[in-house]
Amino acid sequence: MSIDFYWRLPTHGCHSSVRRGSYDRGDWSPISPYNQSPGLNRDGQDDGFRYIDHLAEIANAAEISGFIGGLIPSFPNTDDPWVISPLLARETKTFRFMIAFQPGFLNPVQAARLSASLQRATGGRTVYNIITGGGGPSQLWWGDSFSHDDRYGRTTEFLDVLKGVWKGGDFSYDGRFYQVREGGLSPLLGSEPLPEIWFSGSSDAALQSASKHADYYLSWLEPFDQLTEKFARVKERTAALGRQQKCAVRVDLVARPTEEEAWRDIRAGFENVSDETRARWRGQPTDSVGAARQAALKPTEAKRYDELIVGPNLWGGFNLLRGGPALGIVGSYEQCAAKLDELISRGADGFILAGTPHLEEAYRIGEEVLPLLGRSASALQQAAE
């Protein structure tokens, strides 16, 4: 079975080390002794190098290192993935661009035309990461006040319409959120392949929408038994609709030659976490079920890094070192590969991996971890049976 591996592209700046919390790669932070700031020289003058050039370096590193493509995140503090993707497509050859977006902020007919044009321009390298938003103040930043379940209902209708107009002909739709009369792409655009859909969300409403439309159901890493149960539930729901769906995991790794070195970096990073950072990630309002599962690990309350070790080579404090999911994998190259193999044996068909800094770690994970996959898969599969 082929497993697709994507890398994550930091569209919000990047850290130069997991040991430091400042965004000192890119022009997202002021120039400082540690900050390599694309666009500025040491005198603070424009040097003609833009952050997109740094992202291109990461995309090339990931492509060279065996990753099929890269996730381009979308948050209030990031560049826009729809703009970033075609720019990076010119810098790579086969690299796929997984565009994260919330369907409610685009008209589905325009999104179909936009996507088909991008498929045509890049040779079919567009992938969707459908996100529906976590509610609370961050959702209102986008001007979106819809309730949790309504957002997923809107997402379902969005994908109904997008797929409908992509098929061509005269497509009409009369839904709660969208109405279309005799819509459809031109034959030239409609002949392009529909982008693969990776779908995020852990609630029942999310799983219902995912089972209808997604090619991959994507989850943050969770305790393995919990994740196994979720994957089984997703695949069962999809099978009931006469479809097959793959499952994938988004996870950060700290992989080093030895386990001791990996935990040494985690400890240094944890000890550099400021009180301001803890306060920022403590108790943020959200109606996201996935975020609530991560918050249950309570990383902001830990006094020592080892209080957040939740299992062999699993650490629950990554969101203190950077925004995003709390749980990640820490260990030697062999141990990290074994954890990925175990996830495959538990139903994972794909991965979005990340490491800090994204440029160097794309090479490291690609060269040192990915080639080890499969060596322990048979033993893990036998154990699972």
Side-chain angles (χ1 to χ4, degrees), residues 172-225:
S172 296
Y173 188 88
D174 189 15
R176 178 185 172 194
F177 300 97
Y178 301 105
Q179 294 80 42
V180 178
R181 295 290 178 269
E182 299 182 357
L185 296 181
S186 69
L188 184 64
L189 290 178
S191 66
E192 294 294 329
L194 184 76
E196 195 172 68
I197 298 173
W198 290 50
F199 197 105
S200 303
S202 294
S203 66
D204 285 341
L207 297 183
Q208 181 177 351
S209 184
S211 64
K212 182 177 183 180
H213 284 299
D215 299 300
Y216 277 86
Y217 172 75
L218 176 63
S219 175
W220 284 348
L221 183 66
E222 296 179 359
F224 282 23
D225 288 344

Side-chain angles (χ1 to χ4, degrees), residues 305-366:
Y305 85 96
D306 51 7
E307 293 176 28
L308 295 172
I309 298 176
V310 300
N313 304 110
L314 297 176
W315 192 64
F318 273 88
N319 61 335
L320 295 175
L321 308 183
R322 49 93 189 107
L327 192 60
I329 299 172
V330 180
S332 68
Y333 301 144
E334 294 78 10
Q335 288 169 327
C336 288
K339 284 297 178 186
L340 296 178
D341 274 336
E342 183 177 354
L343 288 168
I344 293 170
S345 75
R346 288 172 174 265
D349 305 293
F351 293 90
I352 300 173
L353 304 182
T356 301
H358 286 69
L359 176 59
E360 290 90 330
E361 292 301 311
Y363 285 119
R364 185 198 297 269
I365 301 301

Side-chain angles (χ1 to χ4, degrees), residues 6 82 85 96-101 108 110-130 158-159 162-167 185 189-199 213-216 243:
Y6 285 79
W82 291 100
S85 297
R96 300 179 188 176
F97 301 94
M98 185 182 293
I99 298 173
F101 70 100
Q110 171 61 9
R113 187 178 69 155
L114 178 66
S115 303
S117 299
L118 192 54
Q119 288 288 70
R120 185 169 178 234
T122 64
R125 291 195 273 155
T126 308
V127 180
Y128 291 153
N129 175 24
I130 300 295
F158 177 98
L159 293 171
L162 184 142
K163 288 182 174 181
V165 298
W166 202 297
K167 292 178 181 178
L185 296 181
L189 290 178
S191 66
E192 294 294 329
L194 184 76
E196 195 172 68
I197 298 173
W198 290 50
F199 197 105
H213 284 299
D215 299 300
Y216 277 86
R243 300 181 63 241

